[in-house]
């Protein structure tokens, strides 16, 4: 799904369910939400600018496409899925900012979906395409938690 749908439209629709949930007083967490939102936008934008460069894809870039080159620069030196991590940070920020348990629940469901259905196929295609280079990268760089030192 396009990032706009995943990061904005679906969380908004999830927030409509909040009328059925008890009020959750997050208070100052709204400022934390702003930080997550901004950080997620920056991380996603930096990631997208690297993986969607002209000539990088033989076919459609997403979800079944395979890039021509393994991207291991910029935020990809620290975490394997910075674009998705950015989207998760955006949704987390929305959940805190709008004080929405439904948006936070949506984020958890999206994370489960990505881990179980989306990433295994993507990682398999990258391994088939780039072999040992990708396996070394995957061994050193975590899927979600950024590493302390950049991948070289």
């Amino acid at each position: 799904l396009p990032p706009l749908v995943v990061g904005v439209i679906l969380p908004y629709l999830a927030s409509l369910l909040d009328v059925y949930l008890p009020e959750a007083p997050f208070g100052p967490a709204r400022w934390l939400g702003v930080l997550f939102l901004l950080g997620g936008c920056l991380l996603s934008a930096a990631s997208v600018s690297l993986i969607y460069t002209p000539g990088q894809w033989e076919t459609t870039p997403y979800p079944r496409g395979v890039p021509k080159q393994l991207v291991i620069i910029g935020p990809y030196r620290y975490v394997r899925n910075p674009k998705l991590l950015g989207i998760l940070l955006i949704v987390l920020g929305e959940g805190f900012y709008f004080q929405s348990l439904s948006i936070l629940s949506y984020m958890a469901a999206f994370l489960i979906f990505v881990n179980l259905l989306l990433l295994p196929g993507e990682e398999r295609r990258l391994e088939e395409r780039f072999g040992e280079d990708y396996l070394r990268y995957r061994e050193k760089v975590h899927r979600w938690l950024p590493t302390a030192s950049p991948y070289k």
Side-chain angles (χ1 to χ4, degrees), residues 114-132:
V114 166
N115 275 306
L116 295 180
L117 299 175
L118 183 68
L119 290 179
E122 179 181 298
E123 290 175 347
R124 186 183 67 254
R125 287 188 297 277
L126 289 170
E127 184 178 342
E128 290 169 359
R129 173 69 181 229
F130 301 109
E132 286 298 318

Side-chain angles (χ1 to χ4, degrees), residues 7 15 17 21 27 30 40 42 56 59 68 71-72 84-85 99 110 112 116 118 121 141-142 152:
S15 73
L17 297 174
L21 296 172
R30 284 186 176 226
L42 290 172
Q56 170 67 351
T59 60
K68 291 181 181 179
V71 178
I72 52 174
L84 288 172
L85 179 58
Q99 302 181 26
F110 177 68
I112 291 168
L116 295 180
L118 183 68
V141 179
H142 302 256
K152 296 178 184 179

Side-chain angles (χ1 to χ4, degrees), residues 71-87:
V71 178
I72 52 174
I73 58 174
Y76 290 91
R77 294 175 68 197
Y78 297 92
V79 64
R80 287 199 321 255
N81 299 293
K83 182 181 81 165
L84 288 172
L85 179 58
I87 291 171

